């Protein structure tokens, strides 16, 4: 080997060793998240046997978000770490929160219902940590009970109701017959749907409560008694264009399609629904997200998974754009006008400054195919059409 070649080889080895040493010496800035969920109630199984019983809903979305974030973060000397905690029904969420904080979680993604989430927000251990609400649709969390450290990536009930009402307005299906369940969630949703009808000039011609108890399943399969009961239940309703169902717990609504006395579409929580995400959605690159999720979780992505994914991706986008993991810098960017997150919904999503709700398009879909996306054409807003869904700034009772 010539002296020149020997020098080049030696120099290359030294340079390579130096480069390698530099890489290993750099410690990436770590963003530690905690996912706090709650076990599914034993009496909340899907009515249809085709729907799987999910015990990891939301959590899998957070896991995919961390994976997607780290795909970019590795080039920015950043790293996302996720710790997980799940509490049983009735257990202390504060203890679970403290466990996540002890593991270093500085950001919390919540899959909790509203009451438990409010306990978390009031817990002294939380400090100034930010919580992303990826599970509770309650409007009160965006209104009277809003909190400056609480951000919402799941749409509110009012956003979903407005999205459905806009589509029904586009179709000129303006006379609604409303059927709701006898749970607290369904009563709240029924009031929200009535408010959406009034907001968009529709009319609820009559409302009725389904009289049966939750989970009163039929031993003979449901259809024998149902096909006699439902036509009688709705046969004397005033003339209406659609039958609107409010059944968040999924204990009776699936029985109504094809069993009504008059041939009318069934919409609401069953039939044609407004939802943040759906397994049939494939536009705007959604197929790629669906496939990544299916590879990770071995199942379809649900709206709660999508909300948790959006929460984690919001942090990933903000830390990547700012080059910082500092809390205040990340939040300033996330609430700023430059923040736009690709949510595979046709329009970029962003946060409302007045209640920290993520503004986002809403899918209007049947069981196997997306029918439309709201906001609908013609529903305008001076800031963005997305703000035609849900409480606007002037009407929001949220005051930070």
């Amino acid at each position: 080997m010539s002296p020149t070649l020997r020098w080049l080889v030696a120099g290359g080895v030294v340079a390579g060793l130096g480069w390698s040493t530099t890489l290993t010496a750099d410690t990436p800035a770590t963003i530690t998240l905690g996912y706090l969920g709650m076990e599914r109630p034993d009496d909340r199984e899907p009515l249809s046997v085709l729907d799987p019983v999910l015990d990891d809903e939301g959590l899998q979305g957070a896991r995919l978000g961390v994976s997607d974030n780290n795909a970019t973060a590795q080039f920015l000397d950043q790293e996302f770490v996720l710790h997980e905690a799940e509490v049983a029904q009735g257990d202390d969420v504060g203890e679970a929160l403290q466990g996540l904080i002890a593991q270093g979680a500085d950001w919390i993604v919540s899959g909790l219902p509203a009451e438990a989430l409010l306990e978390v927000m009031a817990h002294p251990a939380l400090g100034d940590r930010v919580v992303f609400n990826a599970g509770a649709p309650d409007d009160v969390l965006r209104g009277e009970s809003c909190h400056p450290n609480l951000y919402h990536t799941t749409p509110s009930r009012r956003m979903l109701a407005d999205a459905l009402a806009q589509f029904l307005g586009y179709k000129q299906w303006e006379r609604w017959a409303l059927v709701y369940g006898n749970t607290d969630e369904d009563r709240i949703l029924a009031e929200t749907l009535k408010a959406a009808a009034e907001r968009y000039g529709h009319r609820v011609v009559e409302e009725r409560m389904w009289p049966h108890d939750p989970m009163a399943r039929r031993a003979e399969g449901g259809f024998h008694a149902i096909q006699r009961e439902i036509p009688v239940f709705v046969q004397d309703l005033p003339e209406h264009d659609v039958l609107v169902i409010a059944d968040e717990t999924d204990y009776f609504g699936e029985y109504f399609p094809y069993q009504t006395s008059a041939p009318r579409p069934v919409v609401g929580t069953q039939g044609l629904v407004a939802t943040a995400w759906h397994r049939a959605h494939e536009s705007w690159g959604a197929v790629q997200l669906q496939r990544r999720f299916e590879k990770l979780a071995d199942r379809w992505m649900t709206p709660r998974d999508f909300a948790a994914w959006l929460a984690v991706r919001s942090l990933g986008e903000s830390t990547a754009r700012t080059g910082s993991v500092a809390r205040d810098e990340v939040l300033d960017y996330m609430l700023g006008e430059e923040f736009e997150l690709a949510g595979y919904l046709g329009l970029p999503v962003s946060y409302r400054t007045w209640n920290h709700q993520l503004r986002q398009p809403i899918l209007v879909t049947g069981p196997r195919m997306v029918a439309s996306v709201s906001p609908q054409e013609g529903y305008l807003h001076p800031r963005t059409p997305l703000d035609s869904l849900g409480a606007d700034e002037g009407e929001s009772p949220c005051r930070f």
Side-chain angles (χ1 to χ4, degrees):
M1 182 181 296
S2 68
T4 302
L5 182 57
R6 194 179 299 117
W7 178 85
L8 288 173
V9 171
V13 170
V14 171
L17 289 173
W19 176 70
S20 176
T21 303
T22 302
L23 277 183
T24 56
D26 289 340
T27 302
T30 302
I31 304 94
T32 305
L33 301 92
Y35 181 86
L36 181 54
M38 180 172 285
E39 290 181 359
R40 174 184 53 83
D42 293 334
D43 61 348
R44 293 291 177 88
E45 294 184 6
L47 189 58
S48 172
V49 296
L50 296 180
D51 293 328
V53 177
L54 303 179
D55 293 320
D56 57 358
E57 193 175 10
L59 174 58
Q60 293 286 8
R63 289 173 177 171
L64 181 63
V66 168
S67 176
D68 288 350
N69 282 357
N70 281 331
T72 302
Q74 62 180 320
F75 302 108
L76 302 172
D77 288 328
Q78 296 175 355
E79 181 184 19
F80 285 79
V81 175
L82 178 67
H83 297 290
E84 306 165 5
E86 185 177 71
V87 297
Q89 293 287 324
D91 280 2
D92 184 9
V93 293
E95 184 177 345
L97 172 66
Q98 289 177 300
L100 291 173
I101 293 173
Q103 296 178 80
D106 294 319
W107 308 83
I108 305 296
V109 179
S110 167
L112 300 171
E115 185 177 352
L117 178 56
L118 288 174
E119 290 182 31
V120 168
M121 299 311 300
H123 200 284
L126 183 65
D128 64 351
R129 291 173 178 84
V130 166
V131 177
F132 290 93
N133 169 28
D138 305 69
D139 287 279
V140 67
L141 296 172
R142 290 90 168 156
E144 294 86 348
S145 299
C146 67
H147 193 283
N149 291 342
L150 181 59
Y151 291 70
H152 310 276
T153 53
T154 192
S156 65
R157 286 192 181 97
R158 179 167 175 180
M159 290 175 66
L160 298 174
D162 286 350
L164 181 63
Q166 285 191 11
F167 179 74
L168 297 182
Y170 172 81
K171 298 292 292 182
Q172 298 183 357
W173 296 343
E174 299 175 349
R175 292 172 299 179
W176 302 6
L178 176 62
V179 177
Y180 60 94
N182 55 9
T183 66
D184 291 338
E185 298 98 324
D186 293 345
R187 294 186 187 97
I188 294 172
L189 179 58
E191 293 301 317
T192 305
L193 287 165
K194 288 190 291 183
E198 182 178 358
R199 182 181 192 184
Y200 292 105
H202 302 183
R203 185 162 62 96
V204 177
V205 298
E206 190 164 328
E207 57 183 278
R208 294 181 181 177
M209 185 182 74
W210 181 246
H212 301 290
D213 292 331
M215 302 304 294
R217 280 178 163 73
R218 313 307 173 96
E220 84 287 21
F223 49 86
H224 295 96
I226 285 294
Q227 71 181 31
R228 294 191 299 269
E229 291 176 0
I230 290 182
V232 173
F233 180 74
V234 299
Q235 68 180 354
D236 59 344
L237 284 172
E239 181 62 27
H240 55 283
D241 299 316
V242 291
L243 184 65
V244 183
I245 304 294
D247 174 26
E248 280 196 359
T249 53
D250 189 33
Y251 77 87
F252 74 91
E254 287 292 349
Y255 286 132
F256 272 75
Y258 316 111
Q259 300 287 9
T260 57
S261 178
R264 297 292 181 268
V266 172
V267 305
T269 51
Q270 283 77 26
L272 186 74
V273 304
T275 179
W277 193 257
H278 193 269
R279 64 195 187 200
H281 177 44
E282 60 181 10
S283 301
W284 304 298
V287 171
Q288 284 73 27
L289 180 59
Q290 301 273 28
R291 288 176 178 170
R292 293 202 308 275
F293 185 85
E294 289 173 16
K295 183 177 180 180
L296 172 74
D298 197 28
R299 62 172 175 81
W300 291 309
M301 178 178 257
T302 70
R304 290 183 63 185
D305 292 314
F306 182 58
W309 179 84
L310 285 172
V312 179
R313 283 292 298 121
S314 295
L315 288 177
E317 180 71 11
S318 298
T319 56
R321 295 292 183 180
T322 60
S324 172
V325 299
R327 174 189 181 277
D328 291 344
E329 290 187 49
V330 170
L331 292 179
D332 286 346
Y333 180 81
M334 202 163 66
L335 285 176
E337 294 183 359
E338 294 183 3
F339 177 85
E340 290 185 340
L341 178 64
Y344 301 95
L345 293 169
L347 295 172
V349 301
S350 59
Y351 287 91
R352 294 168 178 160
T353 56
W354 61 90
N355 63 2
H356 294 172
Q357 170 66 54
L358 190 74
R359 54 169 69 92
Q360 55 188 291
I362 301 296
L363 305 176
V364 181
T365 177
R368 292 171 58 84
M369 188 64 67
V370 175
S372 186
V373 182
S374 290
Q376 298 293 317
E377 183 179 354
Y379 291 91
L380 304 178
H381 189 277
R383 184 182 295 105
T384 168
L386 292 176
D387 281 345
S388 68
L389 305 176
D392 202 1
E393 183 173 11
E395 57 186 334
S396 173
C398 178
R399 297 293 181 268
F400 293 138

